[in-house]
Amino acid sequence: MKGKEVIVGVTGGIAAYKTAELVRLLVREDILVRVAMTFSATQFVTPLTFEALSGNRVVHDMFGQEGTVMDHIRWGQDSDLIIIAPATANFIGKMAHGIGDDFLSTCVIAATARILVCPSMNTRMFTNPAVQQNLELLRKRGVTVLEPGRGELACGTEGPGRLPEPEEIFEQASILLSGQDLSGLKILVTAGPTMEPIDPVRYITNRSSGKMGFAIARAAVRRGAEVILVSGPTSLQAPQGATFCPVKTAEDMERSVFENLTGCDIIIKAAAVSDYRPRECADQKIKKGPELLSLELVRNPDILTRLGETKKESPCILVGFAAETEDLLANAEKKLRSKNLDMIVANDVSRKDAGFETDTNMVKFIYRDGHVEDSPLMTKDDVAGLVLDRARALREAGLDRRSGN
Ligand code: CTP
């Protein structure tokens, strides 16, 4: 989303303080953010707050000194998205009826950008037929309305009307900012480590944080795919919009993957699956005993190999990850062939800035024809975007081959 331009329109509701966090989330993604406030909004939060967070001047007075004469026309035409958060009943009414009596309402009328409205108000106001009809009018005109949350409101009542959390608004904005190039595709992603129990209190696991797989699932949702995320235990929050299947052991993961396999167009196996598990899980905690204790391990199923075997002529694209500490290329290539994959993403997990637990990664994409593509050190979100680009291209090439183009 780097380089996109977003206008954040703040109107006069108590939830305006939450919009400060939304601006921070957008700026963190290198999005250019411009903030416009209504007069009422400035009574709740000062323009200075948004100026500091966005790094840009905030316009709150149509005839003030903050902007240039044509900003109310240009802003909505130069940007990719306008987010109105919080959107009051009054502002929603003005939008629905084409009233432009201040900078923000005029900007919205002149806009060509997509618009996301996040209503926030007292429950009785929100459920009032006038407000509901105005929202319906906006939806019919292509405006996206993010349903408010339910819960305790600032006015002391309970019900719908709460401004969704900034992260939720950000996710919805990300979907609107991303091209929906994966829409219609079903993508299954595995992530995280597996956990193989030794006894009721101990287990074998690995250092995988799940960050790479979660980044892929999140990016795929934003780009319009139907996403199934099968993940071992992590501390991460499941991406909104993905079907989340939490698992513990490799055998659980295998079961969940095969249960969700029907209709998949792309499978991306970013999970670090434990190759072995204890032969038996003791019923009770194993007590301290002799100096030397041996644990007998048995092989876990190789989920990706099984998927590769069942693939045959299916158009489903199979992408694996190879975590290596030596001979990166040779080892990854061997896995690509033995597991019958379309592509393998190789990463050197001995590096401090790549692989497990980091926010960055540096990978090589290896294809069946022997072609190798190097990526520079990137954030896992950027790597996720590339993995999806490459998988989509492979799928399209496969479909072309099948149809003889
Ligand atoms: N994988 C799997 N099931 C396993 C082991 C691995 O599905 N039991 C998948 C991983 O999700 C990954 C790929 O196979 O996409 C490669 O995993 P990796 O741990 O790098 O290699 P292994 O096949 O386990 O081989 P080795 O441990 O010997 O390097």
Side-chain angles (χ1 to χ4, degrees):
M1 290 186 296
K2 238 174 247 169
K4 297 274 185 192
E5 295 193 19
V6 172
I7 309 292
V8 175
V10 192
T11 73
I14 181 66
Y17 74 94
K18 284 190 183 176
T19 312
E21 177 64 10
L22 171 67
V23 169
R24 208 184 61 80
L25 292 173
L26 292 163
V27 169
R28 209 174 57 183
E29 292 293 317
D30 285 331
I31 293 171
L32 174 74
V33 181
R34 280 191 250 268
V35 179
M37 302 175 78
T38 61
F39 171 75
S40 309
T42 63
Q43 306 300 299
F44 289 93
V45 182
T46 67
L48 186 62
T49 302
F50 289 109
E51 215 148 284
L53 290 169
S54 69
N56 286 311
R57 66 199 161 76
V58 170
V59 177
H60 52 90
D61 179 357
M62 180 83 160
F63 304 103
Q65 302 301 307
E66 319 97 58
T68 59
V69 185
M70 287 300 158
D71 277 355
H72 63 293
I73 306 292
R74 268 194 225 114
W75 275 29
Q77 295 180 1
D78 292 349
S79 58
D80 300 287
L81 178 68
I82 299 180
I83 307 173
I84 309 293
T88 57
N90 180 52
F91 198 80
I92 290 166
K94 287 205 286 187
M95 278 183 77
H97 297 283
I99 297 168
D101 61 356
D102 62 4
F103 180 85
L104 184 58
S105 51
T106 321
C107 175
V108 166
I109 295 179
T112 50
R114 301 190 72 168
I115 303 178
L116 170 63
V117 166
C118 309
S120 166
M121 64 199 78
N122 161 276
T123 300
R124 277 198 178 278
M125 290 172 78
F126 180 68
T127 52
N128 185 303
V131 174
Q132 286 301 316
Q133 278 167 20
N134 285 339
L135 286 171
E136 198 43 41
L137 265 178
L138 293 181
R139 284 193 197 95
K140 280 195 185 130
R141 292 185 200 137
V143 169
T144 304
V145 176
L146 188 61
E147 283 302 309
R150 299 182 76 89
E152 202 184 317
L153 303 176
C155 53
T157 58
E158 281 221 18
R162 232 179 123 100
L163 185 71
E165 292 310 307
E167 290 76 13
E168 198 182 323
I169 302 174
F170 174 80
E171 258 334 293
Q172 186 59 50
S174 307
I175 290 171
L176 294 174
L177 285 170
S178 309
Q180 298 293 288
D181 62 331
L182 300 179
S183 108
L185 298 187
K186 179 175 171 184
I187 302 183
L188 190 150
V189 182
T190 69
T194 61
M195 218 179 231
E196 311 295 335
I198 299 170
D199 68 14
V201 297
R202 303 181 179 96
Y203 51 78
I204 297 174
T205 190
N206 59 62
R207 287 175 46 209
S208 168
S209 61
K211 284 179 180 171
M212 193 62 246
F214 276 60
I216 294 171
R218 194 167 47 240
V221 170
R222 286 178 187 166
R223 288 166 63 167
E226 174 193 347
V227 177
I228 315 285
L229 174 62
V230 178
S231 175
T234 74
S235 59
L236 305 174
Q237 227 187 336
Q240 276 172 41
T243 302
F244 185 55
C245 307
V247 296
K248 283 213 164 72
T249 65
E251 287 177 305
D252 291 344
M253 185 173 278
E254 180 186 37
R255 212 170 302 120
S256 183
V257 164
F258 280 87
E259 271 168 18
N260 286 291
L261 200 57
T262 315
C264 276
D265 300 288
I266 297 171
I267 298 177
I268 302 173
K269 283 221 78 247
V273 185
S274 178
D275 289 327
Y276 292 89
R277 67 178 183 277
R279 178 181 289 282
E280 276 169 3
C281 170
D283 287 341
Q284 304 298 333
K285 184 182 169 203
I286 299 171
K287 288 296 192 191
K288 219 183 346 284
E291 282 300 314
L292 204 65
L293 177 72
S294 301
L295 200 58
E296 208 178 351
L297 303 177
V298 292
R299 274 279 289 272
N300 262 332
D302 191 311
I303 308 167
L304 199 46
T305 300
R306 254 197 83 196
L307 286 169
E309 283 163 4
T310 52
K311 201 166 106 71
K312 292 202 179 83
E313 287 308 297
S314 132
C316 178
I317 296 299
L318 211 48
V319 177
F321 269 72
E324 306 294 345
T325 54
E326 58 181 352
D327 296 335
L328 182 66
L329 257 185
N331 281 330
E333 237 177 327
K334 214 183 312 164
K335 286 176 193 171
L336 171 88
R337 305 218 175 272
S338 67
K339 299 188 190 220
N340 193 23
L341 311 179
D342 297 284
M343 176 175 90
I344 195 154
V345 186
N347 56 346
D348 178 350
V349 290
S350 65
R351 288 176 63 108
K352 279 210 164 61
D353 52 4
F356 294 150
E357 293 167 334
T358 63
D359 287 323
T360 51
N361 213 352
M362 190 165 142
V363 300
K364 289 180 191 296
F365 296 99
I366 308 170
Y367 301 90
R368 287 179 80 87
D369 62 4
H371 176 60
V372 178
E373 192 189 347
D374 282 296
S375 87
L377 186 70
M378 291 193 279
T379 64
K380 285 189 173 168
D381 283 332
D382 288 341
V383 175
L386 274 188
V387 170
L388 290 169
D389 288 348
R390 303 300 180 261
R392 192 185 69 130
L394 285 169
R395 182 175 180 277
E396 279 167 8
L399 290 180
D400 280 352
R401 261 199 314 280
R402 250 168 259 278
S403 64
N405 288 341

